[in-house]
Amino acid sequence: MSRVLVTGGAGFLGSHLCDRLIRDGHEVLCVDNFYTGSKQNIAHLLGHSQFEMMRHDVTFPLYVEVDRIFNLACPASPVHYQYDPVQTTKTSVHGAINMLGLAKRLNARILQASTSEVYGDPEVHPQQEGYWGRVNPIGIRSCYDEGKRCAETLFFDYYRQHALAIKVVRIFNTYGPRMHPNDGRVVSNFIVQALKGEDITIYGDGQQTRSFCYVDDLIDAMTLMMETDPDFPGPVNIGNPHEHTIRELAEKVIAMVGGKSKLIFQPLPQDDPRQRQPDISLAREKLGWEPKVHIDDGLRETIGYFRHMLSQ
Ligand code: NAD
Ligand code: UDP
Ligand code: UDP
């Protein structure tokens, strides 16, 4: 049993990670400032003897005692991270420095939730970890993309300079229950629109692609990565290599939810990547992992979650 710190633990991925760690017998300290996360996501854990919640902003130093740190604190959807872009960069960069300083003092393992956005709008397809990316440094997505890139730099400098046991995972689009209903991400938007009988908003022509990973698969990979050999810092891609156009996703959601929603087309946001698909060969090799959940099953679970939420 370890004492595990999860920053961003009240968010979508963080709350599922807390659940998993508790189920595996660990003690969990969840740190979150509730910027995009919610108390609802962790309400069922409050009062659990292995769980502790602390309201704290990771841009400020944190003095606690733990053996493992999963650093997930950061708004993740374009709507949320663009709302206060300076704070987004601070969370990624100052947050990484503080959590790395904490890990260094404790000689604790630390895992960074990085992102496929470090590849930007990629010229290489599918994306392998060796690809350096094509990121606009001054666009509206840059606060997130460059913040996460700088965090990766800091992680690797602590690894080289201080021999810290770091782990970097690059997460590709992930979906599932506890996504924020208003965060503007495509899966939550389409499901909520379909359930309300509203039109489905496709940005651009809908031919851009994404590859969607169900949250349970993602959590499997994150926990496996944390326990890999200390000489394997990553980065490693984790995501589902099945690629779909956004239009296909919209049609699938309408077919599964039923109802009368129509597709409507709206302007494509600036710097929106045209295509994205992870090459997960490294994850297969080093983690012995690949996603198991079919998109139809994952969407069914997610639709059930939002249906319940909207009925309350
Ligand atoms: P989320 O917005 O649901 O969770 C982020 C959590 O971090 C929230 O609970 C939020 O309140 C908290 N937070 C934000 N700023 C903070 C700060 N300064 N101090 C403390 N807490 C803070 O998003 P998510 O989808 O769960 O993403 C979790 C992590 O995974 C993020 O780092 C994100 O960049 C990364 N990621 C997610 C995806 C995805 O598809 N969901 C893809 C790539 C990377
Ligand atoms: N830090 C922290 N908790 C700790 C140790 C450090 O939050 O237990 C923060 C501290 O604010 C510091 C940062 O981590 O600014 C980086 O720490 P490090 O020891 O790497 O660098 P230094 O203290 O020399 O700046
Ligand atoms: N998208 C869309 N309609 C929506 C929300 C998103 O067509 O209501 C598109 C968006 O332009 C992008 C893709 O879906 O091409 C994925 O968007 P999301 O914000 O979920 O993730 P990211 O762009 O960060 O991969």
Side-chain angles (χ1 to χ4, degrees):
M1 174 164 130
S2 335
R3 292 164 304 170
V4 188
L5 167 62
V6 179
T7 76
F12 161 47
L13 297 181
S15 62
H16 285 278
L17 179 61
C18 290
D19 284 344
R20 175 70 58 89
L21 292 167
I22 285 175
R23 209 180 315 141
D24 290 347
H26 303 293
E27 266 183 33
V28 174
L29 172 60
C30 167
V31 163
D32 204 296
N33 68 351
F34 297 111
Y35 186 59
T36 53
S38 82
K39 290 186 180 149
Q40 202 54 43
N41 287 342
I42 48 151
H44 59 289
L45 295 175
L46 296 174
H48 195 295
S49 59
Q50 289 159 243
F51 183 76
E52 194 180 344
M53 171 72 218
M54 185 175 172
R55 180 191 278 266
H56 173 81
D57 181 331
V58 295
T59 62
F60 296 100
L62 177 66
Y63 290 87
V64 293
E65 312 302 316
V66 292
D67 314 299
R68 299 267 188 276
I69 303 169
F70 286 90
N71 188 35
L72 276 67
C74 185
S77 83
V79 170
H80 286 155
Y81 69 65
Q82 288 166 18
Y83 175 74
D84 186 349
V86 173
Q87 182 61 23
T88 299
T89 303
K90 279 188 191 169
T91 292
S92 272
V93 177
H94 293 183
I97 291 172
N98 287 326
M99 292 310 102
L100 286 161
L102 174 65
K104 186 180 121 199
R105 176 175 65 78
L106 300 171
N107 198 21
R109 278 192 180 201
I110 179 166
L111 179 145
Q112 168 68 358
S114 191
T115 167
S116 54
E117 297 286 336
V118 300
Y119 301 123
D121 190 3
E123 310 106 317
V124 170
H125 193 75
Q127 290 82 53
Q128 287 183 329
E129 291 83 353
Y131 175 54
W132 290 355
R134 185 166 75 118
V135 176
N136 177 357
I138 57 169
I140 57 172
R141 293 175 84 103
S142 311
C143 58
Y144 184 72
D145 302 6
E146 297 289 18
K148 288 285 188 179
R149 285 170 67 97
C150 185
E152 285 200 11
T153 307
L154 285 160
F155 268 68
F156 277 83
D157 282 332
Y158 271 77
Y159 175 67
R160 285 182 288 256
Q161 202 173 326
H162 300 299
L164 201 65
I166 65 148
K167 305 282 169 189
V168 174
V169 292
R170 291 183 177 155
I171 302 170
F172 284 64
N173 297 66
T174 301
Y175 70 99
R178 302 189 198 149
M179 290 183 90
H180 199 293
N182 301 321
D183 72 0
R185 281 191 267 197
V186 68
V187 174
S188 40
N189 263 16
F190 286 1
I191 292 177
V192 170
Q193 288 163 346
L195 286 169
K196 289 183 171 170
E198 295 170 357
D199 292 336
I200 306 283
T201 52
I202 292 190
Y203 303 157
D205 59 9
Q207 292 309 305
Q208 72 272 34
T209 67
R210 294 291 186 276
S211 309
F212 299 101
C213 185
Y214 189 63
V215 60
D216 290 357
D217 282 330
L218 200 277
I219 300 298
D220 285 345
M222 273 179 117
T223 49
L224 284 167
M225 178 62 177
M226 182 59 113
E227 301 310 323
T228 50
D229 286 344
D231 62 2
F232 179 58
V236 62
N237 289 337
I238 50 181
N240 192 316
H242 280 280
E243 190 177 350
H244 304 267
T245 68
I246 294 304
R247 187 180 178 124
E248 280 163 10
L249 178 74
E251 286 165 351
K252 195 180 259 304
V253 168
I254 293 176
M256 291 179 75
V257 172
K260 301 188 284 289
S261 298
K262 304 218 166 11
L263 303 184
I264 57 167
F265 293 86
Q266 295 185 350
L268 191 68
Q270 188 195 324
D271 294 335
D272 198 277
R274 285 297 304 164
Q275 53 181 13
R276 185 179 294 145
Q277 185 201 114
D279 180 326
I280 59 163
S281 315
L282 190 63
R284 282 197 176 99
E285 178 198 329
K286 297 283 189 181
L287 311 180
W289 169 90
E290 62 182 8
K292 297 191 194 89
V293 180
H294 190 276
I295 187 146
D296 290 355
D297 298 323
L299 284 177
R300 197 170 305 114
E301 287 294 318
T302 315
I303 290 167
Y305 169 79
F306 281 116
R307 201 188 290 280
H308 179 70
M309 176 187 269
L310 294 177
S311 71
Q312 293 196 321

